[in-house]
Amino acid sequence: MFSVFIQPRHPVLKKRDDFEDVLEERRRSSDLRYALRCYTPTLYKGLVPCKASMLKSIVLQSDHLQYVIKQVSSESGDSAECVAEEASLILDEMAHRLQLSTIRFFAFTLSKAFKRLFRSVCVNEEGIQRLQQAVQEHPVVLLPSHRSYMDFLMMSYLLYMCDLPLPVIAAGMDFMSMKFVGEMLRMSGAFFIRRSFGGDKLYWAVFSEYVKTMLRNGYAPVEFFLEGTRSRTCKSLTPKMGLLNIVMEPFFKGELFDVNLVPVSISYERILEESLYARELLGVPKPKESTSGLLKARRVLSEDYGSMHVYFGHPVSLRSLAEGKINRSQYNLLPRYIPQKPRVDTHEFLNDAAFRLVRIQEENMVLKPWVLIATLLLQNPDGLELSFLTEQTDWLRHLALAFGAFLDWPNHEACSEVVSCSLALHRHLLSVSAGHVQLNVTDAPQDETTPEEAVFHRAVVVLSCASYRNQILHVFLRPALLAVAMQSANSNRKDDVYNCFNFLRNMFSNEFILCPGDSVQDFEEACYLLMKRGVLQVLEHEIVMSASGHSTLAFLCSVLDPFLQGYQVVCRCLCEETNENLTEKEFIPAVRSFALKLILAGRLKCCEALSSDLQKNALAALLRLKAVRKVKVGDQVTLKVNKIAVNSLEDTLGKSNVNQNSWCSSMAMLK
Amino acid sequence: MPLSHYTPCSHSKKYIAEQDRAGARFNKELTYSVRWGTVEFSRSLSLRQEIMKWNGWGYSDSRFLFNKKGQAEFTGKRYRLSGLILPSLKDWFEGTFGANLQHRSPATPSLNLSAVAPPNLNQPFVEDLKAAGLAVSHDPEDRVFRAHGHCLHEVFALREGRIGRVPDMVVWPSCHSDVEKIVELACKHNVCLIPYGGGTSVSSALECPREETRSIVSLDTSQMSRILWIDEKNLTAHVEAGIIGQDLERQLNERGYCTGHEPDSMEFSSLGGWVATRASGMKKNIYGNIEDLVVHIKMVTPRGVIEKSCLGPRMSTGPDIHHFILGSEGTLGVVTEVTLKIRPIPEYQKYGSVVFPNFQQGVACLREVARQRCAPASIRLMDNEQFQFGEFCFSLILLNFFLLKNFCFKGFDPQHLCVATLLFEGDRGKVLQHEKQVYDIAAKFGGLAAGEDNGQRGYMLTFVIAYLRDLGMDYYVIGESFETSVPWDRVLDLCRNVKERIVRECKERGVQCPPLSTSRVTQTYDAGACVYFYFAFNYRGLSDPVHVYEQVEHAAREEILANGGSLSHHHGVGKLRKEWMKESVSGVGLGMLKSVKEYVDPQNIFGNRNLL
């Protein structure tokens, strides 16, 4: 029950629960009756959830908020009543108004919708049971992954279905602007927070007190997304600490004996927002959330989105997590209602915990066969023979399993059957003709399209496809970093390889989930996995490739290839940028047009360099490595590029990328 | 007894009969004697040994047992509860601990003298003592009796007949100058001295350090028990530090006075011990804790005698040297004489009790009482588990059946309600006024008055609860209490977290049945409260129960510290809680204490190794 994180040194041995399709029952019995059934959730200490108005007054009367109100009032010169009024307004804007009737409405409509959208919605029964237990013991924080708007609707739907208390959910303010729907979500338990309120003390106080009050009193599980926002790339995003700190503080300060943190992994065979995301990454701005937009989205109802998996992970006891890492007596000397910035060690702990929780989410994410196929198709832009693709998929499947992937592979079905099923579901992304499978990248739809539009069109398909490949990256990431490090290291000496590994890991730590400080463990894990696979021999001071290891290493290298190329493009762009005062805002368009030029000139094949996500991550890495500095000039933030440093980073990346064609050549050899 | 230095007193076995209880409330004298039989402990060197258990709490003739019918009874004649049959204790006991009267774990009946290692005597020192005419003994029973306090592990070992390192001899000074002589000789011959007062320590303070290679001498202060003078003009009494609490109180009562210092151990603990541990009394709200009561202290150290030059009520002469002595736990010297404040015996005493719907409300009420600074002489709040225990075993509330029904009627849930016991003292008019004030506050927090008898019984329990542990130990149940002090706003969180931590730690360590884990607020201050935890479990199936117990208590203390509680409110540090001293008082603080020790006792003559 109280699983402490154990480093997945042997991820392969990980035992996972079985799934059950919750839609099956829905297809058999009345949705209406289901929506109206008696709902009697198991409660924490038998507490009945308190009314929204009650909650509001508890928050407003809290010592913490009263303290901050006085503080803000004395700083700003406004009267305390005035500030209190403001706090009350903030709270009105924020607060949820959970109503069972709305939930029942959703239970009905979502049952209908889910049945049309998905073939099945699979949930791990044991996870639900564990959650039922956890809810009664200590206040619960639900931490789902975030890939789609569906996520929190699905979470509430499932919890209602399993007679679990309905969560209150931290949602972005952008939903609020959707008329009616915003209010519906509010009544189904969402509370709304502004996307940025950096310096606003009062807002922070209201917000944190609101969350803490709900948690402390155990009225309802608190649900939020560690990643902060939907991941447009289907890679897990670097976790945000703000809310995590808020939900942990009541434990640190002794107000709660423990908090159960429950990571939930939600995976989709086909994501509803698939091409929307790709367009967004390419610079078409995200459509403002609006009700009419949602209605237009009804079109999506007519399509097949395959199956969906929800895996409730083991509850993680915050107490055992913090054991020996947090000295709670640090909170003894200040009254607890006075807000306190987390100390350095607390901050480190938060960071560490957040990364580990996201890794648990990753590990429990169900992967469909299509993810493997997408990986292969992306590596072979010219397409593959169907039979060869099947063969390769099977090979990759075994590799992925050996690395501990949570693969949902149909039992007792021929590989060719599985592959063709997957291809059928994702047919809009590819073309199959005469036994040749290819990503849908070459057929120009109309003759009048400009070359730019053609590139753009191709990029949409590539990025859509990449969003599937990205789901499995966490499985291959560490071995792939090692594979690239081996290629680029000057020798086979272990420390040389490790240095290269560490460099790459450092370079990509904004791109992938790599726990800070886990470098050595990651390296050892990679060595272990590749050694077990017979790809490498790890000797005392050397790492040697086995004779049979070439194809695996080549595959792993090309997994990282788009990222290596993309980062190089960003570096090149910054080096060649003549504008001394490049602002932060201009950065993405600049890199995008730079990459577009390279592609049009035929000097760059990799469309992923166009992804704004990659570009942002690369910039963050350069900032972190101090190759680029932010300078504030007026209201603008400009980027000061240290060209020598960026150049040298690009060179080092380029060295890692020398064998970028080796995979293709090895494929040719295999053929 | 091998000693030739004393003649056993003829009246040593004569106990003064218990006072009649009737009308004691209005009885101006002997306010304390209603609770225990009176014995003058200093009448002979080993009287205490003769009338007290060698391997358990209190008097030999007073103990709980289950009779043939399976009913619990309390033997002896000393207490009000003595001779009482407690029919429901068995059910409570079996239900709470999953214990079974068929499963007994009896103690070794008598001390196996051969288990006691032969004394390591420093012969020249012994010669010099004898030459100086001091009473000494190296009889094994005398030595074993002074080798322990009342920590669970100490008593458990005795019951199993396991004897560890014990003092090599005992010396009985009879006055201040005797102590000076002993300390001087100890320095001369380099022997280790461990002062011994009442032996009620619960911090491993009396345990002989294993690493000590010198001869260890237990310095028993029991013969220094006279009240040297009483100053009625200044209301002070000058008393020898070996006097036992109940003797001091009785003798003062005979003169119309009292100190008002009533720690739960006052039947057996000594004045010197109170000073050395910073003791706290039940009625501190009126009389103050020991540090508020002392006017003057005389202590013999290896450097000489430390004392102030006058009896001024307060001084600004640098840091108060009394505070080096108070809480020094026998590491610096022997407290020989103390001048204490005394008060006339209060005219009127009245018990009371209030039932609250839950613990939160109870704590909120106590907080309000403290805020208004109107705390009665004593106010204590038991949590629901203790309330149930009291109700079950001693019909605390059940007697008032109608009362209970009344509570249930008013929406009180027996699974949540808790009870506060009160004791008012003073002149009659003021007590009644005071009482009303407190009950009015209680009413604001949903508290209902539950009668005087219940309050009185609650206080009575305090003195017999220690006997209950021995009963538990006869049936595979071990337990202990420990305390802390904590700011008001953290009282509830601390109680909840520590209780839960205890339950969880027990579970993790293989304790089969959920433990009894309860708390109570026993003292109120302006800025916080003193909280007691009682914790016990059934240890059947555990190979090393004491170790499990110690681990759980350790975890509970960690939890206390993490929740803003102190290392100790009044039990002291001893050797049991030494590891947290640095964390508690900072490195510099510990360094200051160490440098005082270094100056006062460079040879580490007072080598009990407590505190530092």
Side-chain angles (χ1 to χ4, degrees), chain A residues 448-466:
Chain A
E448 298 94 69
T449 48
T450 61
E452 284 85 2
E453 278 169 353
V455 170
F456 176 75
H457 179 75
R458 200 172 71 192
V460 168
V461 176
V462 169
L463 290 186
S464 300
C465 202

Side-chain angles (χ1 to χ4, degrees), chain A residues 2 45 138 254-258 319 328-329 331-332 334 336, chain B residues 489-490 493 496-497 500-501 504 559 561-565 583:
Chain A
F2 304 101
K45 291 187 178 162
H138 302 291
E255 294 162 336
L256 284 174
F257 183 78
D258 202 353
R319 176 173 276 267
R328 284 180 285 152
S329 54
Y331 295 93
N332 286 354
L334 197 64
R336 291 181 293 177
Chain B
D489 69 318
R490 294 174 189 260
D493 288 331
R496 183 199 52 235
N497 288 353
E500 186 149 358
R501 178 79 181 261
R504 191 194 275 205
E559 192 63 34
L561 297 176
N563 283 276
E583 187 187 322

